[in-house]
Amino acid sequence: MTKTIKPLSSEQLAPTVSLQHIHSCMQNPYPESLPFIGQQRAQSALDFALGMELPGYNVFVMGEAATGRFTMVKDKLEAHSKTRPTPKEWLYVNNYDDHREPITMFMQPGESRQLADDIDAFLDEVVDTFPAAFDNPGYQRKKKSIDREFDNKYNTALTAVEQLAIQKSVVMLEENGAVSFVPVVNGKQLDDNEFNALGEQAQSQFYDAIDDLEDGLIEALIELPRWKRESSEKLRKLKKTTIELATKPLLKALEHKYASHIGVIRYLKDLRVEIVEAVLDWLDDDSASAEDQKDDFDAKGMLTDFFAPNILIEYKEGAPAPVVYEPNPTFGNIFGKIEYESAQGSLITSYRSIQAGALHRANGGYLIMDADKVLSSPQVWDGLKLSLKTHQIKNDLPFQDSSVGSSFTLKPQLIPMDVKIILLGSRDLYYTISEYDEEFGELFRVLADFDYYLPSSDRLQYQFVSKVQEYCEQTLNCGLTAEGLVRLLKFSYRQAEHRSKLSARFADVLELVAEASYYAKQDNEETIDEHHINEALLGKQYRTGQLSENMLSDIEEGHTLIATQGEAVGKVNGLTVLHIGDTAFGTPARITATVYAGSDGVIDVEREAELGKSIHSKGVMLLTGYLGNKYAQQFSLTLSANIAIEQSYGYIDGDSASLAELCGLISAITQLPISQSLALTGSINQHGEVQAVGGVNEKVEGFFKLCKMRGLTGKQGVIVPHSNLINLVLADDVVHAIENKKFHLYAVKSVDEALELLMDVAAGEATNNGAYPEGTINHLALKRLEQIAQVVNGEEKEASEDTEQE
């Protein structure tokens, strides 16, 4: 029979790229800045979101990795951030009324650092001034006056007691602050021996006198604690006055400098009071506690930890709004954290230990995060939503609070939040969140959808060339030939699996150029050529191709039964694609079918063995619908058939084998042999129309490699759906083999066209009465199915009659 379906020409196997157009693009670089190529829908969504200042217009960037999502988002945000004002700076200061609740304060860009420097200089002045200020003559004179007043009261009391003692022939002695009484006889103080030598009456008189004197001493000094307290109060007041007089000019200068900032004035007012107490506690040489701690603590460090502001975020004046990417969005990294340190077995902290999170750093600007990482922690997601709803940065840390137990914790004042959140995620994740979280749609109103493909045009190719040239010159420090650019464009077409669309995964193109530069350097060349890019592709294929080579080797060695020559009944070469990691390759698979009289229908062995998944099972079920619609209009479709993908031991999904399975089934029905030199792929519907499938290029190349390994005969080829012509971007060696007629590629629209190619017999067109011409495939199939139906129905009828007779 003469085949009505002709092989495809070489022009239909891959897109053509004009070398002249590429030369023209290279000589005249693209006149505009090219931060990004294509993705107009996503760019429009981002522009809209950036222009909307209302709450809730946060962005979910939906798309596949390596499509340039992050690059575009960052470029857009950085460009827009330059049009926004520099955000306020935020800092925490000590709350002297309640140290557990530090006070927030905002300042204009650059002012926080200036305030911190001023406070640091002020504390230096305090450390330098004290305790030296207490050596001032005026202070010492007043201190001596206070001491003298106390001494006078004390001495007056002792003098009265001493005079009374003289009257009683007793002398009062004072030594090291201790007062004692000694008897006197004839003007001489008696020692113990002399006192014991006295008579009992004399001793008794002295004992009574001394008891009276001790009572008198106690009565005279009963006010001593009050005198000491009053003296200490006067001395402390003197010290406070001295400290206030020394620090007042310093603080007055700061108050004048920051007179327009109410928050700083309030902070300095509190500092004016607290610095006096701090100097008394830490910088007073007369203080016993200060003396004990002098060697253990740094006075300046202690003052800094108690008074200096804790700057969370600072900016330079005129700086753009911040654009922050948080790669590890844990609770602490987003909302900030409070650091603790151990002291004597307890965890302690202070307002100086509060650390900024990503929301603090991005306040007044933009925060970019990966959606899957944010959603992996319910606490993070709930905290982020709460911050977006309340417009305040959440800072109560659930994990940290539970870890520190009953130790001293902080509850800082909340900081107002003005951040636009941009989440990067996949399509599946976006639709899952939308379905299960009702608040998501209110908080993330803008969807930036990144497409998988870019519509090819002269302008897009122009941008593609300019962007690759820019990358080579600025990053790789090398050149690129026009032939190399043509090869890169073909690679992008292949990534997209489309003759008129480029892949949106531009990062893969840049990765390939970078790998090709390695091979150019190996050749001591400064320009990347086409053969360098081919070397890079072959190198990656070699590094990741061990599994595909092993599978071809198994076929070559006969472990896996695949025929590439001859004919066979009920056997056909199907094509499959395996995706492993970031690589995909095609491999042939033998599909067999058997048919016999019975009423079990078409049995999918893969489904029965629980290896076939739902879509594959659906494809097999469609075969029954096709057979019934095509042949069983005058009789009941009754048959038993088994279909299996031989030597397949893993899960199978997809309906791309349904065309091959149907052809194998019809071969088994008609007993017409199928050419094993051809392999085919495609899905079908119940009306016998062949539908497009995925991975068509890998499938064709997989069978070609096997045929090439065994030797091309000129009869081998692949049958693909006609609707897949737009997806053909085949490798050069396949194209050359087809050009030289050593290999063939056919495109079919119907099952009949595929059958004619496989069996080299006319399929046959149905007449008005539903009959088919004698000797055609469809005629043989119709007769065979009718015969099986008669056999099965006849057996059933005979069995029924035998039962009635019995």
Side-chain angles (χ1 to χ4, degrees):
M1 159 189 172
T2 303
K3 295 180 179 179
T4 58
I5 305 298
K6 301 298 181 182
L8 298 178
S9 63
S10 59
E11 290 78 12
Q12 296 175 285
L13 307 178
T16 57
V17 180
S18 171
L19 187 60
Q20 182 179 358
H21 175 64
I22 300 302
H23 276 294
S24 176
C25 294
M26 294 177 67
Q27 293 171 359
N28 303 285
Y30 199 73
E32 301 175 9
S33 175
L34 283 176
F36 202 80
I37 297 177
Q39 301 291 5
Q40 297 302 322
R41 188 192 307 275
Q43 292 195 55
S44 175
L46 285 171
D47 290 337
F48 170 76
L50 296 178
M52 292 294 294
E53 300 292 341
L54 297 176
Y57 285 88
N58 300 293
V59 188
F60 189 99
V61 179
M62 181 175 71
E64 187 178 317
T67 54
R69 299 176 306 174
F70 180 78
T71 302
M72 176 194 282
V73 168
K74 188 176 180 182
D75 288 345
K76 284 280 185 183
L77 296 183
E78 288 180 347
H80 193 267
S81 67
K82 297 176 182 177
T83 65
R84 299 196 63 184
T86 305
K88 300 182 181 68
E89 298 180 333
W90 288 94
L91 58 159
Y92 277 107
V93 294
N94 204 349
N95 184 349
Y96 302 107
D97 294 329
D98 186 353
H99 297 302
R100 294 177 183 270
E101 297 185 2
I103 300 171
T104 60
M105 192 164 63
F106 72 87
M107 302 190 75
Q108 297 303 318
E111 292 183 352
S112 294
R113 178 54 53 190
Q114 187 176 0
L115 175 63
D117 292 341
D118 289 340
I119 296 299
D120 186 67
F122 166 74
L123 296 178
D124 283 334
E125 290 280 356
V126 171
V127 172
D128 292 341
T129 303
F130 298 96
F134 296 130
D135 295 333
N136 183 279
Y139 169 82
Q140 290 295 329
R141 186 172 58 253
K142 293 178 181 179
K143 180 184 178 185
K144 288 178 180 179
S145 175
I146 295 172
D147 293 340
R148 188 166 51 250
E149 183 180 354
F150 172 80
D151 291 341
N152 289 338
K153 291 180 180 179
Y154 181 75
N155 292 333
T156 300
L158 289 184
T159 299
V161 175
E162 185 177 13
Q163 290 176 355
L164 181 61
I166 293 172
Q167 294 174 5
K168 294 180 180 288
S169 298
V170 176
V171 65
M172 185 181 73
L173 301 178
E174 182 181 5
E175 185 176 0
N176 296 329
V179 177
S180 61
F181 296 94
V182 178
V184 176
V185 177
N186 299 324
K188 180 183 178 182
Q189 299 180 15
L190 301 180
D191 58 19
D192 291 340
N193 293 331
E194 292 173 337
F195 180 78
N196 291 332
L198 295 176
E200 291 183 0
Q201 184 178 359
Q203 289 182 358
S204 177
Q205 290 177 351
F206 278 118
Y207 279 133
D208 293 340
I210 291 175
D211 287 341
D212 292 339
L213 290 173
E214 287 179 346
D215 291 341
L217 179 63
I218 292 173
E219 185 177 352
L221 296 180
I222 195 170
E223 296 292 330
L224 181 62
R226 182 173 64 83
W227 299 340
K228 285 187 175 181
R229 186 169 60 253
E230 290 176 351
S231 177
S232 297
E233 286 295 328
K234 290 179 180 179
L235 183 58
R236 186 175 182 83
K237 185 176 181 181
L238 173 61
K239 289 181 178 180
K240 283 187 175 182
T241 304
T242 303
I243 296 170
E244 289 175 353
L245 290 175
T247 57
K248 184 176 180 179
L250 303 176
L251 289 172
K252 198 69 176 178
L254 291 177
E255 290 174 355
H256 178 73
K257 182 175 183 179
Y258 295 98
S260 61
H261 200 297
I262 298 176
V264 177
I265 294 299
R266 188 182 299 115
Y267 162 61
L268 294 176
K269 181 180 178 181
D270 294 337
L271 190 148
R272 179 193 295 273
V273 176
E274 296 298 326
I275 192 67
V276 175
E277 298 295 332
V279 172
L280 284 175
D281 292 340
W282 298 331
L283 300 180
D284 182 6
D285 282 345
D286 294 338
S287 173
S289 60
E291 191 68 31
D292 294 339
Q293 299 174 356
K294 189 172 183 181
D295 297 332
D296 298 332
F297 293 93
D298 173 32
K300 172 63 184 302
M302 293 177 66
L303 291 174
T304 299
D305 289 341
F306 198 69
F307 294 107
N310 176 18
I311 302 175
L312 285 186
I313 300 298
E314 58 180 317
Y315 300 100
K316 293 182 179 179
E317 187 175 356
V323 177
V324 177
Y325 171 64
E326 178 50 62
N328 183 28
T330 62
F331 201 100
N333 288 348
I334 293 179
F335 301 100
K337 62 186 72 173
I338 301 173
E339 296 181 343
Y340 291 80
E341 62 181 16
S342 179
Q344 298 179 352
S346 299
L347 294 176
I348 61 172
T349 187
S350 73
Y351 76 102
R352 298 271 297 172
S353 298
I354 302 174
Q355 302 295 320
L359 285 175
H360 297 97
R361 299 195 305 273
N363 207 5
Y366 312 94
L367 176 59
I368 310 170
M369 294 182 291
D370 295 311
D372 56 341
K373 296 180 181 178
V374 173
L375 291 164
S376 64
S377 172
Q379 289 86 357
V380 171
W381 179 239
D382 290 340
L384 184 61
K385 291 193 297 182
L386 180 60
S387 294
L388 288 172
K389 288 186 289 186
T390 61
H391 307 292
Q392 291 179 319
I393 300 177
K394 178 183 175 69
N395 64 3
D396 53 323
L397 312 182
F399 301 112
Q400 196 158 301
D401 286 351
S402 62
S403 65
V404 299
S406 60
S407 300
F408 184 88
T409 58
L410 299 179
K411 190 177 180 181
Q413 287 185 357
L414 299 181
I415 294 178
M417 187 181 83
D418 177 22
V419 181
K420 193 173 287 291
I421 307 294
I422 295 90
L423 295 181
L424 309 178
S426 64
R427 295 178 182 276
D428 291 342
L429 184 58
Y430 174 78
Y431 294 125
T432 302
I433 306 173
S434 300
E435 181 177 357
Y436 289 102
D437 194 326
E438 297 178 353
E439 297 174 320
F440 176 73
E442 299 177 4
L443 300 176
F444 291 84
R445 300 177 185 270
V446 181
L447 171 65
D449 190 358
F450 275 66
D451 201 354
Y452 294 106
Y453 314 108
L454 304 177
S456 180
S457 63
D458 288 345
R459 180 181 179 183
L460 192 65
Q461 288 187 2
Y462 192 2
Q463 295 176 345
F464 182 99
V465 170
S466 297
K467 194 68 177 175
V468 172
Q469 279 187 296
E470 177 184 325
Y471 177 74
C472 289
E473 293 171 0
Q474 297 182 3
T475 305
L476 303 179
N477 297 319
C478 64
L480 183 65
T481 65
E483 291 76 11
L485 281 165
V486 170
R487 184 66 187 88
L488 287 174
L489 280 166
K490 289 183 177 180
F491 169 78
S492 186
Y493 282 119
R494 174 58 181 265
Q495 290 288 92
E497 289 192 338
H498 206 283
R499 294 166 56 87
S500 61
K501 293 180 180 179
L502 293 173
S503 171
R505 295 174 61 93
F506 191 70
D508 291 346
V509 175
L510 300 183
E511 179 184 337
L512 179 58
V513 175
E515 293 178 5
S517 68
Y518 165 80
Y519 294 97
K521 292 177 181 177
Q522 296 296 309
D523 296 339
N524 294 321
E525 296 183 13
E526 296 182 355
T527 303
I528 301 173
D529 202 356
E530 180 181 7
H531 69 274
H532 295 132
I533 296 175
N534 289 331
E535 284 185 72
L537 289 170
L538 291 173
K540 184 171 184 178
Q541 182 179 348
Y542 177 75
R543 294 191 299 272
T544 61
Q546 183 173 2
L547 183 58
S548 62
E549 291 179 7
N550 289 343
M551 296 183 72
L552 286 176
S553 178
D554 288 344
I555 297 174
E556 178 63 20
E557 294 172 357
H559 296 162
T560 303
L561 300 179
I562 299 290
T564 55
Q565 297 185 48
E567 297 178 336
V569 174
K571 299 178 183 178
V572 63
N573 291 327
L575 296 172
T576 62
V577 172
L578 296 180
H579 295 271
I580 299 176
D582 60 346
T583 61
F585 59 89
T587 181
R590 171 173 284 184
I591 299 174
T592 61
T594 58
V595 176
Y596 49 93
S599 58
D600 295 332
V602 179
I603 297 175
D604 179 10
V605 175
E606 309 302 326
R607 182 182 61 187
E608 297 298 322
E610 297 184 353
L611 292 177
K613 293 189 177 181
S614 55
I615 298 179
H616 177 264
S617 299
K618 174 187 174 183
V620 176
M621 291 176 184
L622 290 176
L623 303 186
T624 302
Y626 172 80
L627 293 177
N629 179 67
K630 184 82 171 180
Y631 304 115
Q633 298 295 327
Q634 306 297 329
F635 57 89
S636 175
L637 179 64
T638 307
L639 82 161
S640 291
N642 286 346
I643 294 178
I645 299 177
E646 303 293 351
Q647 294 182 280
S648 172
Y649 308 107
Y651 291 105
I652 297 173
D653 202 10
D655 61 351
S656 63
S658 57
L659 174 60
E661 290 168 336
L662 178 59
C663 292
L665 179 61
I666 292 179
S667 172
I669 292 172
T670 62
Q671 294 297 300
L672 291 175
I674 287 178
S675 172
Q676 302 299 295
S677 298
L678 296 176
L680 71 162
T681 183
S683 68
I684 62 165
N685 59 27
Q686 296 184 97
H687 295 281
E689 297 171 325
V690 179
Q691 303 166 146
V693 294
V696 63
N697 295 296
E698 288 82 2
K699 293 175 179 178
V700 172
E701 292 168 1
F703 190 67
F704 172 79
K705 287 179 181 179
L706 176 59
C707 295
K708 185 178 180 181
M709 181 184 297
R710 292 179 171 178
L712 297 174
T713 63
K715 296 182 179 181
Q716 296 145 332
V718 175
I719 300 172
V720 299
H722 190 275
S723 52
N724 273 126
L725 286 179
I726 195 68
N727 305 115
L728 291 178
V729 188
L730 294 173
D732 291 341
D733 55 346
V734 181
V735 175
H736 293 157
I738 293 175
E739 284 180 345
N740 297 326
K741 302 187 183 306
K742 293 182 179 180
F743 194 77
H744 305 284
L745 193 62
Y746 304 93
V748 298
K749 297 180 180 178
S750 66
V751 173
D752 286 347
E753 292 179 352
L755 290 171
E756 289 181 352
L757 288 170
L758 291 171
M759 300 177 179
D760 200 21
V761 177
E765 294 287 339
T767 60
N768 294 334
N769 59 2
Y772 292 97
E774 291 281 344
T776 60
I777 298 173
N778 290 325
H779 176 264
L780 295 175
L782 177 63
K783 292 302 180 183
R784 174 61 174 155
L785 291 173
E786 187 176 8
Q787 180 185 1
I788 292 174
Q790 290 174 356
V791 170
V792 174
N793 294 331
E795 290 176 350
E796 292 177 353
K797 184 176 181 180
E798 291 176 0
S800 176
E801 291 175 352
D802 292 342
T803 302
E804 290 175 357
Q805 291 177 359
E806 291 176 357

